[in-house]
């Protein structure tokens, strides 16, 4: 009963023509639909969740024996480079496993780089490869190669 009474209130408006503005241009159907598109109130939230879920590793804690081997191999590289007057060890590749800290959160990841050593800058604490990869000496976990095996290190 109430529904009939309410609809009778608007009967006089049902037959009126649709209003078209003379001032504003008519909006396209696409633009009208865009008004009702879902709103992303939490934009960036899913990216933040992905970043939090991204796993990182802890910095290496090398044992005394590993540190000793690494130190001997770094000294060997320094001596070889001095023999060549600071120039690279031509054609003698080494594999360097080092820890690369993450720029966004605690931890990082291990990176392996194989190539020829170009320079050992002890004052700056850098091992520089021929492809100009700069590896902080403090982050090196392993140094391997035939160069060391031939020298018995």
């Amino acid at each position: 009963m109430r529904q009939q009474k309410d609809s009778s209130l608007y009967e006089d408006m049902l037959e009126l023509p649709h209003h078209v503005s003379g001032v504003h241009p008519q909006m396209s159907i696409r633009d009208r639909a865009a008004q009702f598109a879902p709103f992303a109130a939490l934009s960036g939230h899913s990216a933040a969740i992905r970043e939090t879920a991204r796993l990182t590793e802890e910095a290496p804690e090398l044992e005394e024996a590993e540190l000793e081997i690494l130190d001997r191999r770094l000294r060997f590289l320094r001596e070889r480079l001095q023999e060549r007057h600071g120039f690279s060890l031509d054609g003698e590749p080494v594999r360097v496993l080092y820890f690369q800290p993450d720029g966004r959160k605690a931890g990082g990841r291990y990176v392996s780089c194989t190539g020829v050593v170009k320079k050992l800058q002890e004052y700056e604490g850098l091992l520089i490869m021929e492809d100009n990869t700069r590896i902080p000496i403090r982050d090196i976990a392993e140094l391997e190669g035939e160069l060391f095996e031939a020298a018995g290190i």
Side-chain angles (χ1 to χ4, degrees), residues 104-121:
R104 296 183 187 160
K105 62 192 228 180
R109 65 186 180 111
Y110 285 98
V111 178
S112 179
C113 175
T114 302
V116 177
V117 175
K118 180 178 174 181
K119 289 182 186 175
L120 182 61
Q121 294 180 336

Side-chain angles (χ1 to χ4, degrees), residues 70-89 94 117-123 126-128 137 143 147-148 153:
L70 190 58
D71 185 53
R72 280 190 290 177
R73 289 181 175 183
L74 284 168
R75 278 188 277 134
F76 179 75
L77 281 177
R78 182 182 66 224
E79 291 167 7
R80 291 289 302 265
L81 287 167
Q82 285 174 347
E83 288 173 8
R84 295 177 182 266
H85 305 288
F87 294 104
S88 67
L89 304 175
V94 295
V117 175
K118 180 178 174 181
K119 289 182 186 175
L120 182 61
Q121 294 180 336
E122 293 181 77
Y123 184 73
L126 292 173
L127 180 71
I128 302 174
I137 293 172
L143 273 173
L147 175 71
F148 304 116
I153 302 174

